[in-house]
Every structure is written in C-alpha cells, then in structure tokens.
Amino acid sequence: MCKIHIVDAPCGAGKTSAAINMIDNDENKYIFITPFLSEVERIKNSCKNKKFFEPQEVNTKLNGMHWLLSHEKNIASTHALFLNFNDYTIDLIKQGEYTLILDEVANVVEIIEISKKDLNTILEKYAHVEDGLLIWDDMEYEGKFSDIMRMSLNKCVGIYSNIALVWCFPIEIFKVFKEIYILTYMFDAQIQKYYYDFYDIKYDYVFVNKINNKYIFTNEPQDYRYLINYKDKINIVDDEKLNSIGDKETALSVSWFTRDKFVKDKPLINKLKKNIYNYFKFVVKTPSNLNMWTTFKDFKKMLQGSGYSRGFVSVNARATNEYRHKISLAYCANIFMNPVLKQFFEQKNIKVDEEQYALSELIQWMFRSAIRDGNAINLYIPSSRMRRLLIHWLNNENL
C-alpha cells in the first residue's frame, strides 16, 4: 500500500529544497508534479544527480508522458497533465515503482453539470447509489451519458442526495505509487484532505528541518513561527471608508457579486471598483508593476481599472514565484466552499471547516507576493470576514 506523506509547512520552510535533496540522494524514480511550467524548469535545473524529463507532444502530452514512463525516466510535469492520467498511465506507474512529489494539492473534486431530469433518468434506468458513489448497472448502455458511465465505472462519480453529481479524481492513481509526498500548507482545511477522507485513504505528516544548512524531511514536529514575524510585515489597510463595503459576513462572496451584477448600474461592484482604484492610487501610491489584486474570475472585468488591471492574479493561484516582487495587494473575495461539495463530504460525516478553508485560500494567494521573501506588503481586504480570519492567524489565535 502506498505511503502518503503530507509536508504541511508555510512558504519559506524549505519544502521544495528538502524534496530536491531527497531526490538527489536516493535511488528511487520520481514524478514531480507542480502547477506551473516555470516550476517544472526549476526542478529540471535543480536536481543535479538525477536527470528529469518533461513530457513532449507525441500527438498528445499524455502520450509523451507514457513514453517517458515506459522508459522509466524521472519526470517533471504540471497539474494539468496529472489530472488527465488514465488506466494506462496507472499501469506504467505501477511497473516503474515511482515516488510522486505533488507540489500543492490538486483539483481532485469538481461539480458535474447535469440537469435534475437527466440525473433522475440515470438513477431510474442505468445506475444506483452505493456509499456516496454512482454505481453503473447497464453495461450495454450507449448514449449521451457515456462519459458519466465511464467515470462511474472508475469510481469517479460521487452523488449528493440524488440531486447533484461530483467528479472525483481516480483514487487508484494515488494507490499505485511506491510513496507520495504532498507539499502544501494548511492541508487539514483543503479539499484534497476531505477527498482522501471520503475514500478512507490514510496519510501521515512529515516536517522540514534545516541541518548543516541543508533542508531535509523529518518525522520530528517543527515550529515554523521562527521563519518571519508576519504580523510586522503585513500592513492591513484599516480605513473605515474603504472597508465599509464588506461589513456584512457574506459581502464580496460569489452570491454578493452575482446579485449586484443584475442590478441597474451595479452600485456595489462599481463602489468596490472605485475603492480599489483609490487604494492603489491614493493610499499606497505604488506603481502599477508592484500592484497585485484578485477577485472571482467571472467578475474580473467588472472590477479592473487604471493602475492595477495588469496585476491580476487568480484567486486560487498557488506555487508560483512569478509575483514575488508585488508589494501592494487587494484581495476582493470572500471565500466559501461550494455548498454542493460541502454537503457531499458532510453526508459521510466528514467535517468541513469553512473558516480554515477560506483562510488557507487567502494565505496561499497572499504568499505569491513579496511576503514570501520576508519583505513587507500592503494588503487591502474589504471583506470583514476574510480580514478577521487573517488577523486571528497573524495573532496566532483560534478562529
């Protein structure tokens, strides 16, 4: 059975450096999966004792991955390709006895768009529900639900209360590796943790220590608070005029934006846009190349404006160094887990902590900026809820 190790430590603790040191000092074969192509290059250049290959197009990138696996090469690739692994990939990984390094959690669960009528048809004619999963019964079926049939045969389709379907990344892929290390922070609040609990997948925690100027993995718990006094480095804007728009607990959530989007002149969204402009232009007064901001993807165009538009960084950005020069930030989102996903997990008595989930998303985004190098940043968080969560974290208080 594959051993899964969670390396749960903040940015700057040396997770990737410890992984590289481990890779370069043993005989195992590795697949290193990271969110961005720039990080793939970093791994290829940093592992001096092992040669890493990036999958190339052989009709498709997945075929290129299969070629490398069949030749038992060490491989560095992206989350996008990892999420396309199939049964053939599983067979090749198993034969190669690979160790997986997963840099940041993957998008292992998504809502399947399907009408209630179509779902009722599937349940009445073709499939049944068992332990939270859709189990396909009609092996002779051919038709518009063929993709759902294929996914359900791989135990990849979860179901919530017979009203919604959820795609789950094939759990078998996590079972065929010799060993897995997941490099992340606040794993207990992340969807991949709930996904593992749903499938009853066991994991343990390992830590990062620095010995003789070298980062290593260790089983001994570590205290990472020594890294940086973040409280002194993060200047959270305390301006009643700028912050009043986010006073309500649900302000700046997806539903808040969606409701205002259909109101004439979008008064709240336009007020927020003006606040962002005033923050960058008159409060922090930083040049546009040092500004970084975010909101939900569907509302980006409604909020972008002069002096900051090009500094947009996706609200779920992770594991990239591309924005480490940014010193003035605006986080214009209030994060809640999709209610269908939350209820999908809770139906199996898996406790979802939405406060920790929201905080982990905010911290991951914030650490794309200059704070990752210990440099001071300015931060505008108009949502009172998100601001409160971050302040509690900075003060090392319970939420």
Side-chain angles (χ1 to χ4, degrees), residues 349-361:
N349 297 317
I350 298 168
K351 180 176 172 53
V352 172
D353 189 332
E354 284 213 79
E355 301 286 81
Q356 288 283 355
Y357 172 72
L359 176 62
S360 70
E361 293 293 295

Side-chain angles (χ1 to χ4, degrees), residues 185-186 225 228-237 359 362-363 366-367 371 377 379 381 386-399:
Y185 182 48
M186 298 182 70
R225 285 176 293 182
I228 296 175
N229 187 350
Y230 296 117
K231 188 176 179 180
D232 292 341
K233 296 287 186 177
I234 300 172
N235 172 37
I236 300 174
V237 173
L359 176 62
L362 167 57
I363 290 174
M366 183 178 68
F367 271 94
I371 191 66
I377 61 170
L379 181 56
I381 314 180
M386 299 301 293
R387 194 166 61 250
R388 181 188 74 244
L389 294 175
L390 182 60
I391 290 171
H392 283 327
W393 179 77
L394 291 173
N395 290 332
N396 200 30
E397 298 171 351
N398 293 327
L399 300 183

